[in-house]
Amino acid sequence: KAGVTQTPRYLIKTRGQQVTLSCSPISGHRSVSWYQQTPGQGLQFLFEYFSETQRNKGNFPGRFSGRQFSNSRSEMNVSTLELGDSALYLCASSLGGAHSYEQYFGPGTRLTVT
Amino acid sequence: AQTVTQSQPEMSVQEAETVTLSCTYDTSESNYYLFWYKQPPSRQMILVIRQEAYKQQNATENRFSVNFQKAAKSFSLKISDSQLGDTAMYFCAFVEIQGAQKLVFGQGTRLTINP
């Protein structure tokens, strides 16, 4: 079974621009979660989607948004990029049902904001 | 709010030695899962081992085992017969059993296995 895939793997954007990152979960997984990883703040939860609905959201400004499609693929969008948004963005998928809490991570998208 | 603390930012051991990574967490919940993830340099995060809070028996996966002390809110990872490929950042993580899947991570322990 193919693992979690994320595209693109690397991005360089300018302050003020917006960016969209994509995540394809493991086949059969209905939950997709997004995390931001930085050297200073570590791994922080952004949001989780299950069956096209956002189930939980972390403490990030409204510039960070996401969505999930009927095939469970997910995208996250960051608008009006700031220098502090430079990070590794990780997507993780899981079955999403009761007692299915193991999350499997993709390779990440490294975003650099200049 | 739940918190996870890894008190050892870095550790270094010789190949074939046994090493224990520490993790403590804080929660008022009684039902949750705990995980150890491994992130090798410039590589993907990998699930190493998981523990359900309602299970008293400590989880084991080959050379990896945990010491889960629920009352003390402690969840340490023991790596036996360490190998060069074990060199990585190790993250302890916690998730409540409440529907939404929000992993709370510790700050990580950078483990280096020396030849």
Side-chain angles (χ1 to χ4, degrees):
Chain A
K1 209 181 250 191
V4 179
T5 59
Q6 292 186 245
T7 56
R9 293 292 311 279
Y10 302 92
L11 265 179
I12 300 176
K13 290 286 187 178
T14 303
R15 230 173 355 167
Q17 288 185 316
Q18 75 163 17
V19 66
T20 299
L21 313 181
S22 181
C23 171
S24 292
I26 292 170
S27 177
H29 284 194
R30 297 167 63 192
S31 169
V32 174
S33 300
W34 289 88
Y35 297 86
Q36 182 195 64
Q37 185 176 23
T38 60
Q41 299 299 315
L43 283 148
Q44 293 187 289
F45 172 79
L46 280 156
F47 29 65
E48 185 231 357
Y49 286 87
F50 177 77
S51 292
E52 302 179 67
T53 299
Q54 187 182 86
R55 284 205 295 197
N56 205 347
K57 189 178 191 312
N59 294 325
F60 279 82
R63 300 184 297 106
F64 291 82
S65 63
R67 59 178 175 168
Q68 187 179 35
F69 302 95
S70 58
N71 61 357
S72 294
R73 190 178 69 85
S74 177
E75 289 181 346
M76 69 163 280
N77 184 276
V78 188
S79 62
T80 319
L81 284 166
E82 300 177 0
L83 295 178
D85 298 333
S86 294
L88 181 66
Y89 289 88
L90 295 170
C91 162
S93 77
S94 73
L95 288 169
H99 302 290
S100 301
Y101 288 84
E102 293 183 9
Q103 294 187 28
Y104 297 89
F105 284 81
T109 294
R110 183 161 300 278
L111 172 64
T112 302
V113 182
T114 62
Chain B
Q2 293 81 20
T3 59
V4 177
T5 303
Q6 293 179 248
S7 59
Q8 305 148 311
E10 292 189 37
M11 296 187 74
S12 178
V13 299
Q14 297 298 120
E15 195 176 6
E17 289 184 345
T18 294
V19 59
T20 299
L21 280 58
S22 301
C23 172
T24 58
Y25 58 94
D26 187 24
T27 182
S28 57
E29 299 296 323
S30 57
N31 292 322
Y32 49 87
Y33 285 80
L34 292 159
F35 303 94
W36 280 99
Y37 281 90
K38 164 186 175 181
Q39 189 176 38
S42 301
R43 289 180 61 191
Q44 202 155 326
M45 187 95 74
I46 301 164
L47 176 62
V48 174
I49 198 166
R50 79 168 196 179
Q51 175 79 44
E52 294 93 331
Y54 64 87
K55 288 187 177 179
Q56 291 190 333
Q57 186 172 7
N58 290 322
T60 299
E61 288 287 341
N62 301 313
R63 299 183 294 108
F64 298 87
S65 61
V66 299
N67 184 0
F68 174 48
Q69 302 288 329
K70 190 172 184 179
K73 296 181 182 175
S74 170
F75 182 61
S76 61
L77 174 69
K78 186 172 83 170
I79 306 174
S80 303
D81 186 26
S82 58
Q83 300 174 359
L84 297 179
D86 295 332
T87 292
M89 280 290 288
Y90 285 81
F91 293 96
C92 178
F94 163 100
V95 65
E96 288 179 6
I97 299 177
Q98 45 114 331
Q101 307 208 350
K102 172 186 173 181
L103 281 171
V104 177
F105 287 89
Q107 286 296 101
T109 295
R110 185 179 303 278
L111 175 65
T112 302
I113 309 298
N114 299 305

